[in-house]
Amino acid sequence: MQIQDLPFPDPGVPDARSGPRFLWWLFRNQLSGQLKSLAWGLLHFASVASLPFCVGVAVQAAVDRSGGRLALAGGLMALACAGNAVGDTFLHRAAVTNWITAAARVQQVLARKAATLGSALTRRVAAGEVVAVSTGDVEKIGWFVEALSRFTAAAVTIVLVCAGLVVYQPALGVVVAVGLPVLAIAVLPLLPRATRRADVQREKAGRATELASDTVAGLRVLRGIGGEELFLDRYRRASQEVRHAAVRSARMWALIAAIQVLLPGILLITVVWYGVRLAREGRIAVGEMVTVYSSVMVLTYPLRHFEEIAMAYSFSRPSAKRAARVLSLERATDTAGSRAAEDPAGDLYDPESGLLAPTGRLTAVVCGDPDAAGRLAERLGGHASERGTPVLLGGVPLDELPLDSARRAVLVQDKDPVLLSGTLRELLDVPASGAVDPRDALDAAQCGDVLAALVQGSVDADDPMDARITERGRSLSGGQRQRLALARSLVTDPEVLVLDEPTSAVDSHTEARVAQGVRELRTRRTTVVFTSSPLLLDRADRVVFLHGGTVAAVGDHRELVRTEPRYRAVVTRETEDEAASAKVLDKDGVPCKDEVLHRLEELEEIEETA
């Protein structure tokens, strides 16, 4: 797999049972790249390790005044340098390719999981954790996968060189063969503690960054209440905690670095002292001593890869664990579906709650529990977070359809929809039936003031469709973002559109026009709106009131206001005690006629003004 071939046509099914299993799955899925990196690594390290032998031959040739052997040593050295250059170049190329392809594979499987779970993902895992896994954790995982083949090549080279030195010069070779493994494992006991300190530093730095972001986002409010100094003191304390954690982490890594300098130095001193003693006794030649000494000097380079692989694994293991935790999440229903793909049509019915949304009509759903309403909206779209009785669309269980078919049939707009950055034209360029023009959808969602604001805030954008939307629509108000998200949903023109509180941040006059626009644009289409707004409820063809998770009453808005106290309490946000104290209820607990008429007159006045 080459970088230009990314993204993968199929990233595969990850082994998410644990972090190490996930890392092993990544390694197996790019085995060819690992073998290629291993081959170039062996060429590179073998070329580096052969240089001391060439130097030893050259020194001994100079001592013996042998021009032929000196020329041979020069030729071998030139060959080793060429092998070193070629091996290092292509090792780096193969290693970077392995890093990027591993990171790309992880990001693809994460994106696929997010697309499969939809809004259920953030209900089960914090959105910040998903972002952390797909950014920083991906880099650490890719680092370990990339370093593994280089470490293997370095380890094989060290073993071969030690064996060669034992054969070449047994007396000094044994010293090197014993000393090098000690150097390789000397710092391993310190790495877990160093990793923990680094994790603490990153955690505290993340908290400080979060505090700074919250302070900047709420700076206007803080200035209004005079809280700048309070939050500034909090950030100072968080910043000092980060500094102390960084110093503690740096001390540990400095100790590791010092050990890596000290121990090789001790080994070199031992080799030189013992080698000089053997040379004085005539047991070894000068060239042999130079060869062994140079080998120890050179082998400290591949030896550093032992520390790198330990660090890479220490850092990547918690990252792989977090990635595996996200990837192990499953839909309550099968993504592939047990039924063939089709586009069902008809009434939408939820057997668990008894909710029925007749085809081609606007059904409003009132539920006193917002969380329960959100779970029901997900279930209506076939995205249930738990297994249960499937929702039926035209008698077809949505849970049994393939995920793509279910999403084409029923579109659910969350309570807090996200606007992606880009132009308005790109925002509305979504999979759609083509029956709804984007401008008609914008008109129905009452986005006239939004278009004007976008044009005013954009440079050289005469056409509102070419105006740019900032990240998550931060330059727009909450109501403006809601209406743009509603327009995007209307453009898709699904068979069934489920809207969860689509106008909660919109003023009453605009809300009345939005209700009328949605009703007209969605004629002969099934629409379900979760809301407690009297303006939307009064525009609905039928209103369903849920209490305790099941249907408690069905009718039109005005009828339910008159006859259902629990419905009126949710819509008007008043308790029965408050209603009784205001003489809203008569002695039998039925709403007083005058009070009901007064509320309906207020509603009609708002609608007429709108």
Side-chain angles (χ1 to χ4, degrees), residues 107-148:
Q107 287 178 328
Q108 280 189 248
V109 294
L110 285 171
R112 184 174 62 183
K113 179 62 66 174
T116 299
L117 294 176
S119 60
L121 175 61
T122 53
R123 290 181 180 272
R124 301 166 68 179
V125 180
E129 182 174 355
V130 179
V131 174
V133 170
S134 61
T135 53
D137 287 339
V138 165
E139 292 188 5
K140 296 182 181 66
I141 293 171
W143 177 28
F144 173 74
V145 174
E146 173 266 333
L148 191 58

Side-chain angles (χ1 to χ4, degrees), residues 20 40 65 75 80 115 166 177 253 297 327 393-394 476 494 504-505 597:
W40 291 118
R65 299 181 181 278
V166 171
W253 291 113
M297 287 286 294
L327 294 172
L393 178 59
L476 303 173
S504 59
L597 292 177

Side-chain angles (χ1 to χ4, degrees), residues 360-364 519 536-543 555-556:
R361 303 183 67 185
L362 174 59
T363 301
R519 180 184 178 88
L536 285 176
L537 295 170
D538 198 50
R539 295 286 184 178
D541 295 315
R542 67 197 306 265
V543 178
D556 62 49

Side-chain angles (χ1 to χ4, degrees), residues 244-300:
H244 290 308
V247 170
R248 294 186 71 247
S249 178
R251 285 174 179 169
M252 184 57 65
W253 291 113
L255 176 60
I256 292 174
I259 292 175
Q260 289 178 322
V261 174
L262 176 64
L263 294 184
I266 294 176
L267 180 60
L268 282 173
I269 292 173
T270 303
V271 169
V272 171
W273 173 80
Y274 190 48
V276 170
R277 180 178 176 182
L278 293 177
R280 291 179 61 183
E281 295 175 358
R283 297 169 57 184
I284 65 171
V286 175
E288 292 176 335
M289 189 189 74
V290 171
T291 299
V292 177
Y293 170 79
S294 301
S295 296
V296 176
M297 287 286 294
V298 171
L299 285 180
T300 57

Side-chain angles (χ1 to χ4, degrees), residues 374-580:
R375 290 192 295 270
L376 176 57
E378 290 182 354
R379 195 162 69 244
L380 292 179
H383 314 313
S385 56
E386 300 178 355
R387 293 188 180 275
T389 306
V391 173
L392 305 177
L393 178 59
V396 177
L398 287 177
D399 290 359
E400 297 180 5
L401 289 175
L403 184 59
D404 292 341
S405 298
R407 287 181 171 173
R408 282 197 306 269
V410 182
L411 174 65
V412 179
Q413 177 177 301
D414 296 333
K415 184 180 301 182
D416 299 312
V418 176
L419 300 182
L420 302 179
S421 59
T423 65
L424 181 58
R425 193 184 309 278
E426 292 170 342
L427 177 70
L428 301 179
D429 184 17
V430 292
S433 66
V436 177
D437 184 85
R439 295 187 182 273
D440 293 336
L442 291 169
D443 290 340
Q446 302 301 309
C447 294
D449 63 317
V450 185
L451 300 182
L454 288 174
V455 171
Q456 184 177 3
S458 301
V459 179
D460 299 331
D462 297 330
D463 187 349
M465 300 297 290
D466 295 327
R468 295 198 63 82
I469 300 173
T470 57
E471 179 188 4
R472 300 178 68 90
R474 296 186 186 279
S475 61
L476 303 173
S477 67
Q480 290 174 329
R481 289 195 295 269
Q482 274 193 337
R483 282 177 282 159
L484 280 181
L486 176 59
R488 180 177 57 188
S489 298
L490 294 174
V491 167
T492 61
D493 190 37
E495 180 66 27
V496 179
L497 177 60
V498 180
L499 304 172
D500 189 1
E501 294 289 355
T503 58
S504 59
V506 177
D507 64 84
S508 299
H509 297 287
T510 305
E511 188 176 32
R513 294 194 296 269
V514 169
Q516 184 61 30
V518 171
R519 180 184 178 88
E520 293 176 355
L521 194 65
R522 293 285 300 171
T523 302
R524 296 185 296 277
R525 288 289 198 183
T526 306
T527 307
V528 180
V529 181
F530 286 81
T531 184
S532 59
S533 168
L535 292 170
L536 285 176
L537 295 170
D538 198 50
R539 295 286 184 178
D541 295 315
R542 67 197 306 265
V543 178
V544 179
F545 173 58
L546 298 178
H547 184 73
T550 59
V551 174
V554 179
D556 62 49
H557 170 59
R558 303 190 181 207
E559 175 188 354
L560 292 176
V561 167
R562 293 189 181 96
T563 61
E564 179 56 63
R566 293 174 299 180
Y567 173 82
R568 185 182 61 254
V570 173
V571 174
T572 62
R573 295 173 176 81
E574 68 180 7
T575 65
E576 291 188 8
D577 292 338
E578 291 172 339

Side-chain angles (χ1 to χ4, degrees), residues 17-35:
R17 289 177 290 178
S18 65
R21 288 179 182 272
F22 180 64
L23 292 173
W24 176 244
W25 173 80
L26 278 176
F27 178 81
R28 287 189 292 106
N29 274 270
Q30 53 184 72
L31 187 58
S32 61
Q34 294 291 340
L35 292 176

Side-chain angles (χ1 to χ4, degrees), residues 117-316:
L117 294 176
S119 60
L121 175 61
T122 53
R123 290 181 180 272
R124 301 166 68 179
V125 180
E129 182 174 355
V130 179
V131 174
V133 170
S134 61
T135 53
D137 287 339
V138 165
E139 292 188 5
K140 296 182 181 66
I141 293 171
W143 177 28
F144 173 74
V145 174
E146 173 266 333
L148 191 58
S149 56
R150 289 191 291 109
F151 161 74
T152 305
V156 170
T157 301
I158 289 175
V159 171
L160 293 177
V161 170
C162 288
L165 288 177
V166 171
V167 174
Y168 176 70
Q169 177 43 250
L172 285 177
V174 170
V175 175
V176 176
V178 173
L180 283 177
V182 174
L183 295 181
I185 64 175
V187 298
L188 294 185
L190 299 177
L191 287 175
R193 183 180 299 179
T195 303
R196 286 194 298 270
R197 292 190 179 185
D199 290 338
V200 171
Q201 177 193 351
R202 286 193 296 271
E203 181 181 355
K204 291 185 178 295
R207 291 177 182 174
T209 302
E210 182 179 356
L211 179 60
S213 300
D214 291 342
T215 303
V216 172
L219 189 58
R220 182 181 301 176
V221 178
L222 292 176
R223 286 175 175 171
I225 62 176
E228 304 102 314
E229 288 300 325
L230 174 63
F231 273 77
L232 184 59
D233 289 340
R234 291 181 181 178
Y235 181 74
R236 286 196 185 103
R237 289 195 296 270
S239 178
Q240 289 303 311
E241 290 179 0
V242 174
R243 185 178 67 85
H244 290 308
V247 170
R248 294 186 71 247
S249 178
R251 285 174 179 169
M252 184 57 65
W253 291 113
L255 176 60
I256 292 174
I259 292 175
Q260 289 178 322
V261 174
L262 176 64
L263 294 184
I266 294 176
L267 180 60
L268 282 173
I269 292 173
T270 303
V271 169
V272 171
W273 173 80
Y274 190 48
V276 170
R277 180 178 176 182
L278 293 177
R280 291 179 61 183
E281 295 175 358
R283 297 169 57 184
I284 65 171
V286 175
E288 292 176 335
M289 189 189 74
V290 171
T291 299
V292 177
Y293 170 79
S294 301
S295 296
V296 176
M297 287 286 294
V298 171
L299 285 180
T300 57
Y301 166 59
L303 198 62
R304 287 200 297 267
H305 289 75
F306 283 77
E307 177 211 355
E308 182 188 12
I309 195 64
M311 290 178 58
Y313 182 71
S314 299
F315 279 93
S316 65

